[in-house]
């Protein structure tokens, strides 16, 4: 069976193009070609009327905030220019691609848009895919681990061919049903590179003397280190690197404010012939995490979601009139707003044995008063329960949300006694088999007040079962490195990013395939490095998750894929690898009165959706 991703547009369907005022001077001086030479011959034409949106007025500066300099990469997330991406119905559609064909999930033919150009005007062709595949992904100096995991099916890479300038073919002997979904991620695996730019830093193409000089100038050890430093399409901090995103990074170095200007060669237009994005400049200011709500309340942003928690909603609502903005409450797409992850790969042998016993994790979950947390933090607007997929997913089962999630101190105490943790010290804290008190240290990223408030409530209820909770806030990067190294006993983060899976969604995040799932970092490392690092999963339920993932990957139809999903979710509900607290907590979105086309009701989700990305920020516009 062949699934087609779109029908090619005929050239005569392209409306009369309108030149950008923003780039008018450059066009007039000859520094930039006119609009009809900048967009593809077959651009992506956006039907705003079909989406219930207004035609936009090009221009303006949109203000938003981030809390770390590295988060300028959010412009790649929000811009959401992908080979294929999710539309507002969360269906996959071509974007940078003109179209595609998928044959039995084994052969994917990607068709590029003729005349598509990078942000510097160089052609975007199959040669950019070929450079990445042959000279980056399969170059051991640039990619020591080889091609990315999502391209390896049972350890075997695809056959990749480039029939002509606008065609790329990926083919496997066995199905790779996750291929297209991977391309649509918030952090996509870029399977192409601006070859014309990066070849000047590649040993196989560059002049040796020039390359050596560049290595010395940039103070790196080798040409490969230099290439990887400059090849940062997701980080978005190299202003010289051409891009296909709607906005270009126009700021060099570390700044408090970064400006991103409209891409003159962007591939999307509206039905009037106006090139997107409508907004000329996005100004991204770096502020301290605690100031995001205050500055939003003062009317200093035009669009803000990151850095805001539900606890900010009431004060944001009160400040709307003076601040000249509205506060929308969007749904959230994570499986749990807050989740505790006991580290099954903890380095301490005594604690590891205890943490790996599902009865302990069940007891900890049963000793959480989720209703109290919901009242205190979310005004009863969230849904208490264990970590499970959301009702919008066909795999939602109330029994999974209810599993081990009732507040039942008696049952929790009974489970701990059953394990053999029935001895206590003078203050009532249970003792480990080696005599140490059960002081469970939970490390946090220190970025969300709601997490610390929830843990304060849990501290009291865990005392009722003889467990002392010790909270330790850390920097996010330090926290993750400690988890990955097995130093952390337990940590807190959101639940699964994708709480809205469909049959076609890969369940890889339910199996120990990635160190980022904080309950099993070393199992994830083992998978990610093909056994070169980490530890092999040695619990039968985790091994079964890997078998079911393989079943999903080799399934011939959605019915078989759904069966794999259902069993994997049942295992998680039973084993409680992540202790979820609540789901569906509203996410405040601050939208200034100047902004148009921002949906009042939306989904705030990392994957699928890329936060603002699925809502197409390039269609938002400013009207003063």
């Amino acid at each position: 069976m062949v699934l087609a991703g779109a029908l090619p547009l005929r050239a005569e369907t392209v409306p009369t193009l309108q030149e950008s005022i923003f780039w008018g001077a450059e066009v007039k001086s000859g520094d930039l070609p006119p609009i009809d030479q900048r967009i593809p011959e077959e651009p992506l034409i956006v039907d705003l009327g079909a989406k219930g949106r207004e035609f936009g007025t090009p221009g303006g500066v949109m203000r938003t905030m981030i809390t770390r300099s590295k988060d300028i990469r959010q412009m790649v997330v929000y811009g959401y220019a992908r080979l294929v991406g999710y539309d507002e119905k969360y269906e996959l559609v071509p974007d940078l691609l003109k179209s595609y064909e998928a044959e039995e999930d084994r052969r994917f033919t990607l068709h590029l848009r003729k005349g598509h150009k990078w942000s510097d005007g160089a052609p975007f062709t199959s040669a950019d895919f070929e450079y990445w595949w042959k000279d980056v992904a399969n170059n051991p100096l640039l990619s020591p681990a080889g091609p990315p995991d999502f391209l390896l099916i049972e350890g075997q890479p695809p056959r990749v061919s480039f029939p002509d300038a606008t065609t790329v073919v990926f083919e496997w002997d066995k199905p790779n049903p996750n291929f297209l979904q991977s391309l649509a991620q918030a952090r996509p695996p870029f399977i192409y590179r601006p070859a014309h730019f990066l070849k000047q830093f590649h040993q196989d193409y560059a002049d040796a003397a020039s390359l050596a000089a560049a290595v010395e100038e940039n103070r790196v050890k080798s040409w490969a280190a230099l290439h990887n430093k400059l090849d940062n399409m997701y980080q978005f901090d190299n202003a010289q690197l051409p891009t296909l995103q709607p906005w270009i990074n126009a700021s060099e170095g570390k700044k408090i404010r970064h400006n991103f200007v409209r891409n003159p060669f962007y591939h999307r237009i509206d039905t009037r012939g106006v090139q997107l994005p409508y907004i000329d400049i996005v100004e991204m200011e770096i502020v301290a995490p605690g100031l995001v709500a205050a500055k939003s309340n003062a009317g200093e942003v035009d669009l803000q979601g990151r850095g805001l928690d539900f606890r900010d909603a009431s004060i944001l609502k009160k400040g709307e009139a003076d601040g000249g903005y509205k506060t929308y409450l969007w749904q959230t797409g994570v499986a749990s707003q807050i989740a505790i992850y006991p580290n099954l790969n903890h380095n301490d042998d005594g604690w590891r044995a205890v943490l790996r016993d599902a009865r302990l994790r069940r007891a900890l979950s049963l000793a959480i008063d989720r209703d109290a947390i919901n009242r205190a933090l979310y005004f009863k607007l969230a849904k208490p329960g264990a970590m499970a997929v959301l009702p919008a997913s066909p795999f939602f089962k109330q029994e999974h949300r209810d599993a081990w999630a009732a507040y039942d101190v008696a049952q929790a105490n009974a489970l701990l006694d059953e394990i053999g943790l029935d001895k206590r010290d003078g203050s009532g804290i249970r003792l480990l088999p080696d005599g140490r008190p059960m002081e469970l240290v939970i490390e946090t990223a220190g970025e969300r007040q709601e997490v610390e408030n929830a843990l304060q409530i849990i501290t009291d209820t865990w005392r009722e079962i003889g467990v002392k909770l010790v909270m330790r806030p850390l920097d996010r990067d330090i926290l993750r490195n400690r988890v990955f190294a097995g130093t952390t006993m337990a940590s807190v983060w959101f639940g699964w990013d994708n709480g809205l899976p469909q049959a076609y969604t890969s369940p890889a995040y339910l199996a120990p395939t990635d160190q980022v799932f904080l309950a099993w970092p070393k199992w994830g490392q083992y998978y990610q490095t093909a056994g070169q690092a980490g530890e092999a999963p040695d619990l039968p339920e985790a091994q079964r998750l890997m078998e079911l993932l393989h079943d999903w990957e080799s399934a011939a139809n959605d019915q078989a894929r759904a069966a794999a999903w259902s069993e994997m979710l049942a295992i998680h509900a039973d084993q409680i690898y992540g202790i979820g607290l609540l789901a569906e907590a509203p996410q405040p979105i601050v939208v200034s009165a100047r902004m148009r086309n921002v949906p009042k009701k939306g989904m705030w989700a990392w994957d699928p959706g890329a936060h603002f990305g699925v809502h197409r920020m390039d269609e938002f516009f400013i009207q003063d």
Side-chain angles (χ1 to χ4, degrees), residues 252-270:
E252 291 277 12
K254 293 187 179 296
K255 292 179 168 59
I256 297 299
R257 286 184 177 84
H258 290 263
N259 287 326
F260 301 85
V261 302
R262 61 184 306 125
N263 179 354
F265 296 91
Y266 192 53
H267 67 291
R268 301 179 193 166
I269 63 172
D270 69 18

Side-chain angles (χ1 to χ4, degrees), residues 33 40 62 67-68 95 147 155-156 171 176 188 249 272 350 394 492 498 503 524 534 543-544 602 619:
M62 191 195 85
T67 57
R68 304 182 301 169
D95 180 10
Q156 297 302 308
E171 187 171 11
N176 185 359
N249 186 354
R272 300 174 306 171
V492 181
N498 188 347
Q543 293 167 344
R544 178 59 180 157
E619 298 171 18

Side-chain angles (χ1 to χ4, degrees), residues 357-379:
D357 192 318
R359 292 171 296 180
L360 171 83
R361 302 193 296 275
R362 293 166 186 161
L364 294 177
S365 182
L366 288 166
I368 296 173
D369 189 345
R370 291 172 172 82
D371 288 331
I373 295 172
N374 195 16
R375 287 193 305 271
L377 303 185
Y378 300 108
F379 303 105

Side-chain angles (χ1 to χ4, degrees), residues 69-352:
S69 60
K70 67 191 297 183
D71 282 343
I72 61 173
R73 58 191 177 181
Q74 292 305 313
M75 287 304 297
V76 177
V77 179
Y78 298 162
Y80 201 58
R82 303 292 186 266
L83 293 172
V84 295
Y86 293 102
D87 64 11
E88 66 276 9
K89 298 177 182 177
Y90 290 90
E91 296 175 352
L92 285 173
V93 294
D95 180 10
L96 297 172
L97 294 181
K98 180 180 68 175
S99 61
Y100 65 82
E101 290 98 46
E103 302 171 46
E104 299 177 338
D105 286 331
R106 293 188 308 102
R107 179 184 170 92
F108 297 85
T109 304
L110 313 180
H111 300 285
L112 309 185
R113 298 178 185 276
K114 189 176 181 181
H116 197 167
K117 296 179 175 66
W118 290 93
S119 56
D120 61 355
F124 172 54
T125 70
S126 62
D128 297 306
F129 291 77
E130 186 172 13
Y131 176 76
W132 173 77
W133 178 247
K134 295 180 178 179
D135 298 308
V136 178
N138 283 288
N139 185 301
L141 296 178
L142 295 177
S143 304
D149 290 343
F150 86 103
L151 292 180
L152 304 180
I153 301 303
E154 298 188 359
Q156 297 302 308
R159 295 180 295 279
V160 188
S161 57
F162 316 92
D164 56 52
T166 57
T167 308
V168 181
V169 179
F170 283 78
E171 187 171 11
W172 291 264
D173 292 330
K174 296 184 177 180
N176 185 359
N178 192 42
F179 178 63
L180 294 176
Q181 286 73 33
S182 296
L183 302 180
Q185 290 176 340
R187 180 174 184 167
F190 291 101
I191 59 173
Y192 52 86
R193 291 294 194 277
H196 67 285
F197 175 83
L198 288 173
K199 280 183 176 180
Q200 62 185 317
F201 307 105
H202 197 294
Q203 180 177 257
D204 294 350
Y205 300 95
D207 173 74
S210 298
L211 184 55
V215 168
E216 182 177 355
E217 181 182 352
N218 284 271
R219 298 180 180 179
V220 291
K221 294 182 178 180
S222 65
W223 74 267
L226 175 62
H227 190 286
N228 284 339
K229 177 182 178 181
L230 300 175
D231 177 16
N232 50 9
M233 295 185 68
Y234 177 68
Q235 284 80 8
F236 217 48
D237 58 357
N238 177 8
Q240 304 304 313
L241 186 69
T243 184
L244 301 173
Q245 298 300 316
W247 290 276
I248 306 167
N249 186 354
S251 304
E252 291 277 12
K254 293 187 179 296
K255 292 179 168 59
I256 297 299
R257 286 184 177 84
H258 290 263
N259 287 326
F260 301 85
V261 302
R262 61 184 306 125
N263 179 354
F265 296 91
Y266 192 53
H267 67 291
R268 301 179 193 166
I269 63 172
D270 69 18
T271 52
R272 300 174 306 171
V274 174
Q275 186 184 30
L276 301 177
Y278 286 134
I279 293 169
D280 283 341
I281 300 172
V282 176
E283 181 186 274
M284 192 169 262
E285 182 183 4
I286 303 171
V287 304
L291 293 179
V292 175
K295 292 175 78 68
S296 298
N297 180 259
E300 296 181 24
V301 295
D302 295 301
L303 185 67
Q304 192 67 36
R306 281 178 68 89
L308 299 177
D309 294 324
F310 180 75
R311 69 188 180 95
D312 302 316
S314 58
I315 193 166
L316 289 172
K317 283 284 187 183
K318 291 177 183 177
E320 288 181 344
D322 292 338
Y325 64 84
K326 290 290 185 183
T327 308
Y328 300 157
L329 293 180
W330 283 9
Q331 293 179 285
T332 46
V334 291
S336 187
Q337 193 71 12
I338 303 171
I340 299 171
Y341 296 94
N343 191 346
L344 306 188
N345 302 146
H346 187 38
N347 292 336
D348 184 298
D349 291 339
W351 266 108
R352 176 190 286 222

Side-chain angles (χ1 to χ4, degrees), residues 569-588:
L569 289 169
I571 290 173
H572 273 266
D574 178 63
Q575 292 294 303
I576 315 292
Y577 296 117
I579 304 171
L581 305 188
L582 312 102
E584 302 182 69
Q587 168 67 41

